Amino acid sequence: KIVATANYDGDLLKSVNVVTKYGTGGGNEETIYFDYTNGAIICDKSIQDVTYSFEVNAEGAITQLKNVTTSRTAASLQYNNSNQLEIAQVITPSSTDVTKVTWQGGNLMQWVSTGLNKKDSVVYEYGAGAPLNKGCIDLEGNESFTFTKYVCAIMRNAGLFGTTTAYLPTVVKKGYDHSQVDETTETSQLELKRYDITYEFDSDGYVKSYTTNETPKYTVKITYR
């Protein structure tokens, strides 16, 4: 079980706490703090003893993360005129992973990530009557950058990685067949795994939970302040 909790000061995300508990016992906990006065993101020392300085665009989306101790750039992000993330580079001393994101009509359609010994992709489909993403939640299976999955999900919800998808997908397709990839366009792929996504909404149209039919099947529950 994983519980991610966000704390805000007005509309500003101040911290994210993620507690993971394993069925066999044990677990871990991490907390990420956001210091907007000094432009810094401070990671919990028990998990990752690092502080990142960050820069943002006019919309408040992060464009660069830099390790304060080493002065090395950890991530660089580019957005289009609609503040939608298009390219993200995650940089380590040994490699650079590049994620390219495709949008259509305000909806996130696909991301493709390539790097040293890495190639991954997720495709989203929006069926007839796809629901409005009223709560601006992050999508199942979205790529994470520098921080862990659930930290990134809350950062997206807070607008720190640009705008979120306008509608909610009804299908997520995962799995990348390396032999089917055109290295020039990175668009030819064999769709290996297709999963349906179902949502539960509250009376105001905000997502209370979503479930995918992956194996094992799992549900993400969302609570708003």
Side-chain angles (χ1 to χ4, degrees):
K1 180 181 179 180
I2 300 173
V3 178
T5 304
N7 293 298
Y8 293 85
D9 182 3
D11 291 330
L12 293 178
L13 178 65
K14 294 297 291 181
S15 67
V16 181
N17 174 259
V18 181
V19 177
T20 303
K21 294 183 178 180
Y22 303 109
T24 54
N28 57 54
E29 179 177 358
E30 65 173 325
T31 305
I32 309 294
Y33 302 93
F34 299 85
D35 180 353
Y36 297 92
T37 302
N38 298 300
I41 301 174
I42 303 128
C43 299
D44 190 333
K45 291 184 178 181
S46 64
I47 300 294
Q48 182 183 196
D49 186 7
V50 61
T51 295
Y52 296 102
S53 63
F54 67 92
E55 298 177 6
V56 299
N57 62 15
E59 305 296 327
I62 292 173
T63 57
Q64 185 182 69
L65 291 165
K66 184 176 288 187
N67 186 310
V68 171
T69 301
T70 65
S71 296
R72 299 180 68 95
T73 298
S76 175
L77 302 100
Q78 300 175 36
Y79 305 83
N80 61 23
N81 291 334
S82 298
N83 202 35
Q84 297 165 335
L85 179 65
E86 286 193 322
I87 300 175
Q89 298 182 72
V90 177
I91 304 159
T92 70
S94 59
S95 67
T96 298
D97 292 347
V98 179
T99 299
K100 298 180 180 179
V101 187
T102 304
W103 299 79
Q104 182 178 319
N107 292 326
L108 175 59
M109 303 303 295
Q110 180 183 24
W111 60 261
V112 178
S113 184
T114 56
L116 184 65
N117 300 320
K118 175 188 177 182
K119 187 160 286 180
D120 197 9
S121 178
V122 167
V123 175
Y124 298 98
E125 290 184 357
Y126 299 79
L132 184 69
N133 188 11
K134 191 172 181 180
C136 298
I137 67 168
D138 190 28
L139 296 187
E140 196 283 327
N142 211 344
E143 178 75 315
S144 57
F145 308 113
T146 305
F147 306 102
T148 56
K149 173 181 176 180
Y150 289 98
V151 171
C152 284
I154 291 176
M155 289 175 68
R156 283 193 179 92
N157 179 249
L160 293 175
F161 287 142
T163 187
T164 51
T165 190
Y167 287 82
L168 295 167
T170 53
V171 171
V172 58
K173 294 187 285 190
K174 299 180 179 181
Y176 212 109
D177 184 345
H178 294 227
S179 67
Q180 299 295 317
V181 177
D182 183 325
E183 298 294 346
T184 303
T185 64
E186 296 177 347
T187 56
S188 176
Q189 72 178 74
L190 181 62
E191 296 165 2
L192 298 176
K193 302 172 185 177
R194 175 188 178 97
Y195 305 107
D196 295 324
I197 310 174
T198 55
Y199 301 91
E200 181 186 6
F201 300 91
D202 66 17
S203 58
D204 294 318
Y206 291 93
V207 175
K208 292 172 58 179
S209 69
Y210 65 79
T211 303
T212 73
N213 61 347
E214 298 183 42
T215 302
K217 182 177 180 180
Y218 70 94
T219 297
V220 174
K221 297 180 179 180
I222 301 170
T223 304
Y224 303 87
R225 65 182 178 128

